[in-house]
Amino acid sequence: MSTRPHAPARYAACALLAALAVAGCSDSPSAAQPATTASAPQKSSPEETCTELVSYWAKETLKGSKWSGLDWEQKGLSNEQYAIHEEIVAAGRAEARRQGREAGLKLIDRVAKQKCAAKNGATGSSENWRAPE
């Protein structure tokens, strides 16, 4: 057993840093990195954020994912958004029983958009909700 068990990892890290430094000093643009102009990310409206969050978590619940059991705060939902979530999960389950899981998932997207728009993002009932940056 060596007295320096992490020495090989340190050498590898130093070699990686040296390679990155050399690659960063090149005058020519890298072929792997095309020159593009990145546009600034668009901020989502509260309605869009609500729709994305609520529909995502409702679909995860309908699918029975391992993360669907998180509470509303862990999911990043306001109280109002969670109420919408619960309502559309019930509707999605009913639709899935009638028409299949894909139909239930589509219904969730459609109803989440409608309800979040009707409630202006459903953010008013939560002190913890913050607009995405």
Side-chain angles (χ1 to χ4, degrees), residues 103-117:
L105 296 172
K106 287 179 183 177
L107 177 107
I108 283 171
D109 282 335
R110 189 173 60 251
V111 176
K113 186 173 183 174
Q114 293 168 350
K115 298 222 176 257
C116 286

Side-chain angles (χ1 to χ4, degrees), residues 82-103:
Y82 187 68
I84 293 170
H85 170 273
E86 292 297 290
E87 186 178 335
I88 65 173
V89 165
R93 284 180 175 148
E95 183 70 8
R97 282 191 297 275
R98 287 189 302 271
Q99 302 292 324
R101 186 163 96 173
E102 283 304 311

Side-chain angles (χ1 to χ4, degrees), residues 36-84:
T36 60
T37 56
S39 62
Q42 299 292 323
K43 287 197 173 193
S44 298
S45 70
E47 293 83 3
E48 291 168 329
T49 301
C50 173
T51 300
E52 290 174 21
L53 284 171
V54 171
S55 65
Y56 174 82
W57 286 114
K59 289 188 287 189
E60 289 298 300
T61 300
L62 189 66
K63 293 176 197 175
S65 82
K66 70 179 188 175
W67 301 109
S68 64
L70 298 175
D71 70 25
W72 62 274
E73 281 186 308
Q74 292 169 316
K75 292 177 181 178
L77 302 173
S78 70
N79 296 339
E80 277 185 298
Q81 290 166 348
Y82 187 68
I84 293 170

Side-chain angles (χ1 to χ4, degrees), residues 18-38:
L20 290 172
V22 170
C25 294
S26 172
D27 288 337
S28 62
S30 171
Q33 297 176 342
T36 60
T37 56

